[in-house]
Amino acid sequence: MKRIYLDHAATTPIHPDVKEAMHQVMDESFGNPSSIHHFGRESRKRLDEARMTMANSINGHYESIIFTSGGTEANNLAIFGTAYANQDQGNHIITTQIEHHAVLHPCEQLEKEGFDVTYLPVDENGLVDIMDVKHALRKDTILVTIMFVNNEIGMKQPIQMIGNLLRSKGIPFHTDAVQAYGVEEIDVEELKIDLLTASSHKIYGPKGIGFLYKRDGLNLIQRQYGGEQERTFRSGTENTLAIQGFKKAVEVLQQERDERIQHYERLSEQLIQALNNRQIDYAINGDLSKECHVPNILNLSFEGMDVEIFLTNLDLSGVAVSSGSACTAGSIDPSHVLKAMYGEDSPRLRNSVRFSFGMDNTEEEMEQVADRIENIMNRLAMNN
Amino acid sequence: MIYLDHSATTKPAPEVLKTFQKVSMDYFANPSSIHSAGSESEKLFKSARKQVSELLKVLPEEIVFTSGGTESNNLAIKGIAYAHENRGKHIITTRIEHPAVLQVCEQLEREGYEVTYLPVDQNGFISIEDLRSAIREDTILVTIMHVNNEIGSIQPIEDIANLLRHYPKIAFHTDHVQGFGKLPLPYEMEGLDIVTISGHKIHGLKGTGCLIKKRHISLQPLFQGGSQEQSIRPGTENLAGVVSFAKAMRLALNHQREYQRIKTLQQKLYEQLSNHSAIEINSPKHGAAHIFNFSVLGFKPEVLIHALAEKDIFISTRSACSSKENEPSHVVLACGKETAAESALRVSMSMDQAEEDIDLFIKELFKTIQQYENIMG
């Protein structure tokens, strides 16, 4: 039985070109970029080039990229760093109810420390209303952090409108773009984003590396002290090997993005079609219209199903999917995202599955997944 | 090429790179995912943790994997400070710590904590008596490095742990980055609560490291997010990094047997360089074998570094983390050697450094000094 991996929103495999690129630098470049001798300078040069690639990928300045150990650290640096840097101007932060835990938990910690956090609701499609953002703004608002693409449902927030609104008020705007970076063309200037989080292992790069984009001149207090690296915003010897892998992943992404998007669209349509052909009962969580949804995430509710039993059976049949964020999936808690969309009592909280597509998936696999789902449903129905 | 800057960073061992590549490709799934691919990653992750815990003779849950030494030091110090601020706000450290400890302490001072910086003698050693008298009712943390990264002085970690054992409200952290794989510590020892280890100083990869955190110690995390590493260090696990780190640790502990041989190389450096009239030795005679610090009086360190680099010999001034500033070494200064601090140079060896490397280095160093002295008349 062929295993089918449909959990690319949790993490992606390493792209062959990334593997090759890392392999090449392994032997050539081990120096500490802060060392002044030859080996240090070689590493420094590669680091500078990678920083340029990252900056260009979102139309940011070279100086605006802070490499971190990943998305969680970048989100934490953005949120705590901005909150502490601006606390003399106020202590109010705005976010949404559907953020990743790497945003929600820092916000909750800041509440414990005396900050005031507004958690904006979303509509039943998982979208934030720009008017809600506007009404939540206060004189003492020092940060708004709203994710670009939700990791569970794949909904795109109205980033441009939020960016325009906040820039006109002079309030720093952070967006967790971990799920968006692989499928959206992002221009921080046009979207008026001040802080943006990206992660390598969601775009076919290695784990343990990510970056925070920080617009020039924005105040940020570092979290990790101890050296001049990353213009002191993030001390510690740079993870040079992973950074080279990340760089290659971004280069490949830029070449392949359109192709990948079309591929994901086909896969998503194919899976839906295959489920329809088998008359399998499901409902789409969110709204699949292109303007507000990314094609690589498909979250479906299967009425009458228990998600734990369903996932276990899918896994036994060789299909790797998830109920939501991997970081909470160790134990399946009802999704806070679905709760925000459909209310606490909705059965969707207990019967929804996230399919997230990757470049290696095939249309044929979508048929096989539908077959396996059909088998599981028939078997479970018989047992009842 | 003779690379003598192993305290800045080391070349990853081939086995480490191989492990990293294999795990990256074969175990890419997220260990927190509940499907079988995720479970396989989780299983491998657990076995790496178990391996590390066995190497260090501590419990698996006492290992917290981090992105490296700086993060580990930050997590240990801020983690204790913030978790126990109600108990007290006094911290004890030394004047010769790495910037990843000193700058964290300085930041905590700005936040209202009080920090005592213990002095060192001319060999770079603290005195236990000084430590004892610095302890106060409100002391919550003592952070003292094991092996100094610039001059190689070794602090009496066991004696300190024995003293602090009697103060259950004080956590003891040591920055063991330069000691691991050279001079082991009794990690399981009571009184030694938190230990920092870094991957890239032991022929592992950059971006890897860990903290030993004893079970009874509670830390406030630096980041919030998922529940990885018991929520002390959330973020998707760098599985390939962790498994390669476990491999690097095992190799480093094997290579420890070379320590005596490296000590003889250091003695050679000591004897030959101390005979030179222009050279002052900054490392203590009984310091760690792999680090040797000296000053060529009247010479700008950059001049010698570059002249030696022309001959394919690579040494450094001091911590790479601060080598961009032209300030005198804070470590050599703390040892009371003001003139030498301006021109301190560091040779740092790997456990497989060849004797010929050292011979050639000494020869070329003397030649270079001679040439410049001739030019300058």
Side-chain angles (χ1 to χ4, degrees), chain A residues 23 30 76 105 207 315, chain B residues 21 28 36 78 206 224-225:
Chain A
H23 191 74
F30 74 92
N76 275 261
H105 290 169
K207 295 180 176 62
D315 187 42
Chain B
Q21 279 179 304
F28 76 88
S36 349
K78 291 173 104 180
K206 297 181 181 61
Q224 316 275 333

Side-chain angles (χ1 to χ4, degrees), chain A residues 148-159:
Chain A
F148 205 125
V149 168
N150 178 270
N151 53 308
E152 294 189 25
I153 317 296
M155 300 305 292
K156 284 193 264 186
Q157 299 304 334
I159 295 298

Side-chain angles (χ1 to χ4, degrees), chain A residues 3 5 7 10-16 19 22-23 26-27 30-39 41 44 69 72-73 76 80 101-102 105-106 109 113 201-202 206-208 221-229 234-241 311 315 319-322 326-327 329-332, chain B residues 1 3 5 8-12 17 20-21 24-25 27-37 40 67 70-71 74 78 98-100 103-104 107 110-111 200-201 205-207 220-228 233-239 302 305-306 314-317 320-325:
Chain A
R3 271 162 66 160
Y5 184 79
D7 198 14
T11 192
T12 51
I14 286 189
H15 193 286
K19 179 193 174 189
M22 288 172 78
H23 191 74
M26 274 178 186
D27 289 329
F30 74 92
N32 187 326
S34 300
S35 294
I36 56 175
H37 49 60
H38 165 78
F39 295 96
R41 290 199 311 272
R44 164 69 50 194
S69 69
T72 296
E73 187 187 336
N76 275 261
F80 284 109
H101 284 156
H105 290 169
Q109 173 64 26
E113 296 176 18
H201 79 98
K202 311 281 189 187
K207 295 180 176 62
I221 288 186
Q222 69 193 101
R223 300 288 291 154
Q224 189 165 306
Y225 294 80
E228 307 296 314
Q229 296 92 346
R234 203 279 184 181
S235 304
T237 301
E238 298 88 343
N239 188 352
T240 47
L241 178 62
L311 286 182
D315 187 42
V319 180
V321 289
S322 130
C327 305
S331 61
I332 304 183
Chain B
M1 185 267 282
Y3 183 77
D5 195 14
T9 194
T10 57
K11 185 169 179 164
L17 289 173
F20 178 81
Q21 279 179 304
S24 295
M25 300 313 286
Y27 293 86
F28 76 88
N30 192 322
S32 301
S33 294
I34 56 163
H35 45 65
S36 349
E40 283 160 24
S67 70
T70 296
E71 185 188 333
N74 274 261
K78 291 173 104 180
H98 187 275
Q103 292 183 14
V104 186
Q107 169 60 20
R110 287 190 284 273
E111 295 175 18
H200 78 101
K201 311 282 189 187
L205 293 172
K206 297 181 181 61
Q220 162 123 345
L222 287 177
F223 327 139
Q224 316 275 333
S227 50
Q228 295 94 344
R233 206 289 182 177
T236 300
E237 297 89 340
N238 180 1
L239 180 60
E302 297 79 23
I305 286 175
H306 288 132
F314 301 96
I315 65 167
S316 70
T317 48
C321 297
S322 48
S323 62
K324 289 238 157 120
E325 317 147 25

Side-chain angles (χ1 to χ4, degrees), chain B residues 298-346:
Chain B
F299 278 79
K300 280 208 171 108
E302 297 79 23
V303 172
L304 286 169
I305 286 175
H306 288 132
L308 288 166
E310 297 278 305
K311 291 162 184 166
D312 243 10
I313 298 172
F314 301 96
I315 65 167
S316 70
T317 48
R318 50 204 165 103
S319 166
C321 297
S322 48
S323 62
K324 289 238 157 120
E325 317 147 25
N326 285 323
E327 290 165 10
S329 154
H330 73 283
V331 179
V332 181
L333 266 182
C335 298
K337 301 170 182 167
E338 278 177 38
T339 329
E342 307 271 346
S343 52
L345 290 165
R346 178 183 69 184

Side-chain angles (χ1 to χ4, degrees), chain B residues 46 59 69-70 96 102-103 148 180 216 254 257 352 355:
Chain B
K46 274 191 175 154
L59 297 168
T70 296
I96 62 164
L102 281 182
Q103 292 183 14
N148 179 269
F180 185 82
H216 66 282
N254 283 342
R257 59 172 183 263
D352 58 359
E355 181 160 13

Side-chain angles (χ1 to χ4, degrees), chain B residues 88-90 105-115:
Chain B
K89 288 186 138 189
H90 180 239
C105 289
E106 287 159 12
Q107 169 60 20
L108 288 172
E109 282 186 289
R110 287 190 284 273
E111 295 175 18
Y113 290 77
E114 263 187 87
V115 181

Side-chain angles (χ1 to χ4, degrees), chain A residues 103-280:
Chain A
V103 166
L104 285 179
H105 290 169
C107 288
E108 288 160 13
Q109 173 64 26
L110 285 170
E111 279 187 291
K112 284 185 208 152
E113 296 176 18
F115 287 83
D116 199 2
V117 182
T118 302
Y119 298 90
L120 296 176
V122 291
D123 65 17
E124 61 172 20
N125 284 327
L127 291 173
V128 170
D129 187 336
I130 182 73
M131 290 315 286
D132 284 347
V133 180
K134 200 168 180 176
H135 292 142
L137 290 176
R138 308 192 320 211
K139 265 203 176 121
D140 60 345
T141 305
I142 50 171
L143 172 69
V144 176
T145 170
I146 294 178
M147 73 200 315
F148 205 125
V149 168
N150 178 270
N151 53 308
E152 294 189 25
I153 317 296
M155 300 305 292
K156 284 193 264 186
Q157 299 304 334
I159 295 298
Q160 172 92 73
M161 283 198 278
I162 301 170
N164 284 338
L165 169 68
L166 295 175
R167 187 61 60 85
S168 72
K169 309 265 182 201
I171 296 169
F173 175 35
H174 167 248
T175 186
D176 171 358
V178 166
Q179 295 293 344
Y181 193 49
V183 280
E184 288 288 306
E185 268 191 66
I186 300 174
D187 181 331
V188 289
E189 289 300 324
E190 193 190 318
L191 297 171
K192 305 206 167 43
I193 294 166
D194 298 309
L195 295 146
L196 176 142
T197 296
S199 166
S200 157
H201 79 98
K202 311 281 189 187
I203 63 155
Y204 302 92
K207 295 180 176 62
I209 193 73
F211 71 74
L212 178 66
Y213 159 81
K214 183 193 81 71
R215 191 166 62 83
D216 301 348
L218 203 75
N219 288 333
L220 192 75
I221 288 186
Q222 69 193 101
R223 300 288 291 154
Q224 189 165 306
Y225 294 80
E228 307 296 314
Q229 296 92 346
E230 304 298 305
R231 299 181 323 289
T232 74
F233 288 116
R234 203 279 184 181
S235 304
T237 301
E238 298 88 343
N239 188 352
T240 47
L241 178 62
I243 288 171
Q244 290 310 315
F246 191 11
K247 172 176 179 254
K248 181 49 95 175
V250 171
E251 287 167 355
V252 179
L253 167 66
Q254 286 170 327
Q255 284 163 18
E256 294 181 355
R257 189 191 283 114
D258 293 345
E259 206 183 306
R260 285 184 196 174
I261 289 171
Q262 285 166 20
H263 183 57
Y264 300 149
E265 283 168 358
R266 277 196 299 273
L267 293 173
S268 183
E269 280 161 22
Q270 186 79 23
L271 180 57
I272 287 172
Q273 193 58 50
L275 292 172
N276 290 343
N277 289 345
R278 287 163 185 76
Q279 286 165 346
I280 294 169

Side-chain angles (χ1 to χ4, degrees), chain A residues 235-381:
Chain A
S235 304
T237 301
E238 298 88 343
N239 188 352
T240 47
L241 178 62
I243 288 171
Q244 290 310 315
F246 191 11
K247 172 176 179 254
K248 181 49 95 175
V250 171
E251 287 167 355
V252 179
L253 167 66
Q254 286 170 327
Q255 284 163 18
E256 294 181 355
R257 189 191 283 114
D258 293 345
E259 206 183 306
R260 285 184 196 174
I261 289 171
Q262 285 166 20
H263 183 57
Y264 300 149
E265 283 168 358
R266 277 196 299 273
L267 293 173
S268 183
E269 280 161 22
Q270 186 79 23
L271 180 57
I272 287 172
Q273 193 58 50
L275 292 172
N276 290 343
N277 289 345
R278 287 163 185 76
Q279 286 165 346
I280 294 169
D281 230 359
Y282 68 89
I284 292 166
N285 292 323
D287 172 357
L288 298 190
S289 338
K290 274 187 193 177
E291 332 63 87
C292 62
H293 189 268
V294 291
N296 56 326
I297 295 177
L298 182 63
N299 197 307
L300 301 180
S301 153
F302 296 88
E303 205 188 319
M305 239 344 140
D306 176 275
V307 68
E308 278 189 51
I309 296 171
F310 194 32
L311 286 182
T312 311
N313 277 279
L314 277 167
D315 187 42
L316 286 171
S317 76
V319 180
V321 289
S322 130
S323 65
S325 163
C327 305
T328 48
S331 61
I332 304 183
D333 294 327
S335 153
H336 67 285
V337 180
L338 291 170
K339 188 173 141 191
M341 290 164 66
Y342 300 112
E344 207 162 348
D345 300 326
S346 168
R348 293 191 192 220
L349 273 63
R350 299 291 315 165
N351 66 22
S352 294
V353 170
R354 176 184 72 184
F355 301 85
S356 49
F357 310 107
M359 41 184 264
D360 293 331
N361 292 130
T362 63
E363 292 182 46
E364 196 194 342
E365 284 178 343
M366 298 306 111
E367 294 291 334
Q368 290 164 355
V369 169
D371 278 341
R372 293 177 198 178
I373 290 175
E374 187 179 31
N375 286 339
I376 292 165
M377 289 186 130
N378 289 339
R379 199 168 57 235
L380 293 176

